[in-house]
Amino acid sequence: MGLTSKSSSSEELQLCVFDMRRGQQEGHELDKILFFFPTSYPLTSQLSVIGLSEGLITFTRIFSPDAPCEVIDTDKHSHVLYQPEADIWVIMVVEKTKEYEEISRHDALQSVLKEAHSLFTMFYGSIRALLEKQPNGATVRSCLYAFYSDYLSDFMVGKKFQMPSYRESLVERGTIQMLSIGRETALEVQSLVRFLESSFTGSIVRHSLILFHDFLVSTTLPPGDTTNLFTYALLRLTPNAIASGANSLSYLKRGNHAVPDPVSPIFSNVTRVLEEVTPTSRDTSPVRQGQNFQVPRPLQHEKWCREKDGFLMTDIWGTEIAGTSGLSPTVWLQQTEERMHFCVYQHKSLTILLLIPAGSSVNGMQGISILKQQLLENAYLKISKLEEKLSKEWGGDNTYHVAGYRYLFCDNDKKLSRASPPGKVTTLSKSSLAALSKMRAEVDLVKRRAERDDPSHGNDLEVCMRAKNNSWVISRINGGNELYMVLEKASETLLYASDAVEKFSK
């Protein structure tokens, strides 16, 4: 499913992507707009939003060439800016409400823009590469519209957008939640990973990810690519994601929302351009040659289904000539600069992603079918044994709950995080979460200033604050590690708060 501009008020949220290198001549200003939501927004208003942002970016670059403007606050709106690529800017404009003004945190909104661009690049390649391949911008506009219409639909609650707010103060986007396992289980994981990457014909499985429920168990990818695939798995691939996607679609079908295909009708050369973004990324499969495909929409809901053999299937990337089965999904790994096919296998709560180089001997659905058959014949017993061990160690949804604490821990160097279960966080009062959101906003500013002054120097900071409802709100930063904590119904003394943090840390 997608998203239409009629789904919400145009005053509530605008999101646009523009290229500062384009549209510099008078009369060609619209050429710089690559994407704008809502699409019904008047062109003059679109240019006004982009013109204000572009002017402030140009002005602030005079004083800070490497870190220009990131936030613009007006009486009615906040503009959050993010530059993911050279001269490519993404802007989110959020309407100011009383609640927003009290508990807003710009870094949380910017993290949404960062996550969206990382996922977009994983599926389509960089925006700049697409523009260089097709300078008129038809391909990149089709891809951006297809991607963002589905991505934004995840933030719709009824007819309104629910962007990150104080409720997500103990959540960190762009991080991985690892599952802690015992030594014997770790050896089973290591044995399975080695088997997956060495036991198939030609050793064509290059990388693998293993998840249990919504936690990562193992990865052979670098942190950045792991984070992107982990995020996508949580959004669309895990058993919880598939179940929630079906429920979400059923709920929306009961409404009166008209949801047309969001992809613009410029398709003639889109697939060819996507495959030729880099010379090594071209898929030479005879199944694909000579065929035209629509822009893939990997974030569509209810497009992945689990087959009887345990493999997940989708037709998002198109179908074979006969139209009976979907083509192999593909992703572009940023840190290894490779285009990969991937297939997904599930056994109960265990999800395994296998990545195969696009130029390997496994090409097309026939090659993938052979790979799947070998997996079932040779690895099923190992997979079943691992799932059984993980299930015995699994403590349920409250696995990482610590009695008396509501917390978030982040290891920024490894892109890891661990937090109180969502069900436990909901027991906190609005006052406590709002106070934590305000504190995190202040800490964000301190971190950003320190990074600009000396990027090589790690931050060391500890803040303890007594909130209006007498709860303690605590932030502790040590280098790349960050800890945020809320203590309700606690002692009034600062010594108690300090001792509680020390006890938790140990």
Side-chain angles (χ1 to χ4, degrees), residues 440-454:
R440 290 201 64 181
E442 293 296 324
V443 170
D444 292 337
L445 289 174
V446 173
K447 291 193 300 181
R448 193 177 297 115
R449 289 167 182 164
E451 184 178 354
R452 289 174 181 173
D453 293 340
D454 186 2

Side-chain angles (χ1 to χ4, degrees), residues 156-171:
M156 287 295 293
V157 178
K159 293 185 178 182
K160 289 189 175 183
F161 284 101
Q162 184 171 301
M163 304 309 291
S165 66
Y166 70 95
R167 298 178 184 87
E168 288 79 42
S169 296
L170 290 175
V171 175

Side-chain angles (χ1 to χ4, degrees), residues 61-355:
R61 271 180 172 169
I62 299 174
F63 310 98
S64 180
D66 298 327
C69 182
E70 294 181 337
V71 177
I72 304 172
D73 270 322
T74 64
D75 290 339
K76 296 183 178 180
H77 298 90
S78 276
H79 301 235
V80 180
L81 290 73
Y82 172 55
Q83 182 183 205
E85 303 174 30
D87 293 322
I88 300 292
W89 287 85
V90 187
I91 305 170
M92 179 187 292
V93 184
V94 182
E95 183 183 17
K96 282 187 176 180
T97 61
K98 182 179 180 182
E99 183 177 84
Y100 175 86
E101 290 184 298
E102 289 177 350
I103 50 185
S104 64
R105 180 171 162 251
H106 294 128
D107 277 43
L109 296 176
Q110 194 177 70
S111 67
V112 173
L113 304 182
K114 292 179 179 179
E115 177 184 86
H117 178 264
S118 294
L119 290 175
F120 177 89
T121 306
M122 181 175 70
F123 292 116
Y124 304 101
S126 72
I127 294 175
R128 181 62 64 197
L130 291 171
L131 286 170
E132 289 175 353
K133 202 67 186 178
Q134 194 176 58
N136 67 12
T139 294
V140 73
R141 288 188 176 96
S142 294
C143 294
L144 286 168
Y145 191 32
F147 174 81
Y148 274 104
S149 62
D150 292 325
Y151 180 78
L152 290 174
S153 70
D154 282 358
F155 296 93
M156 287 295 293
V157 178
K159 293 185 178 182
K160 289 189 175 183
F161 284 101
Q162 184 171 301
M163 304 309 291
S165 66
Y166 70 95
R167 298 178 184 87
E168 288 79 42
S169 296
L170 290 175
V171 175
E172 189 71 10
R173 287 179 180 270
T175 58
I176 301 163
Q177 291 77 57
M178 287 289 297
L179 183 69
S180 297
I181 55 179
R183 182 176 180 276
E184 289 187 7
T185 306
L187 292 175
E188 289 288 342
V189 172
Q190 188 178 26
S191 174
L192 175 60
V193 170
R194 288 177 178 174
F195 187 86
L196 292 174
E197 296 184 3
S198 63
S199 299
F200 296 105
T201 302
S203 299
I204 46 79
V205 175
R206 182 70 57 83
H207 297 289
S208 64
L209 275 81
I210 302 176
L211 293 87
F212 185 72
H213 289 281
D214 289 344
F215 292 88
L216 183 68
V217 176
S218 168
T219 178
T220 61
L221 285 165
D225 291 320
T226 296
T227 301
N228 292 338
L229 277 168
F230 176 79
T231 300
Y232 183 62
L234 262 57
L235 288 174
R236 297 294 183 266
L237 301 179
T238 63
N240 289 337
I242 292 175
S244 64
N247 293 336
S248 173
L249 189 68
S250 300
Y251 167 78
L252 290 173
K253 282 182 177 178
R254 293 196 294 268
N256 297 318
H257 304 295
V259 186
D261 188 344
V263 186
S264 63
I266 310 172
F267 292 129
S268 57
N269 296 315
V270 170
T271 301
R272 176 180 58 78
V273 173
L274 288 176
E275 292 180 349
E276 294 178 352
V277 167
T278 62
T280 58
S281 70
R282 187 170 181 83
D283 182 0
T284 58
S285 167
V287 175
R288 283 183 179 263
Q289 290 177 1
Q291 299 184 49
N292 289 324
F293 298 90
Q294 292 187 351
V295 178
R297 293 170 56 191
L299 290 181
Q300 279 185 290
H301 287 277
E302 211 179 40
K303 278 292 186 177
W304 286 90
C305 62
R306 186 173 180 270
E307 300 288 290
K308 292 182 179 180
D309 60 5
F311 286 94
L312 300 191
M313 295 297 294
T314 183
D315 61 358
I316 288 174
W317 279 261
T319 57
E320 291 182 295
I321 297 175
T324 56
S325 60
L327 289 173
S328 173
T330 57
V331 292
W332 174 250
L333 300 183
Q334 301 305 302
Q335 292 183 258
T336 60
E337 297 187 347
E338 293 176 285
R339 185 163 168 266
M340 294 278 182
H341 297 290
F342 74 95
C343 66
V344 187
Y345 177 76
Q346 280 183 356
H347 178 68
K348 298 181 180 179
S349 298
L350 195 68
T351 302
I352 300 175
L353 281 74
L354 302 177
L355 283 83

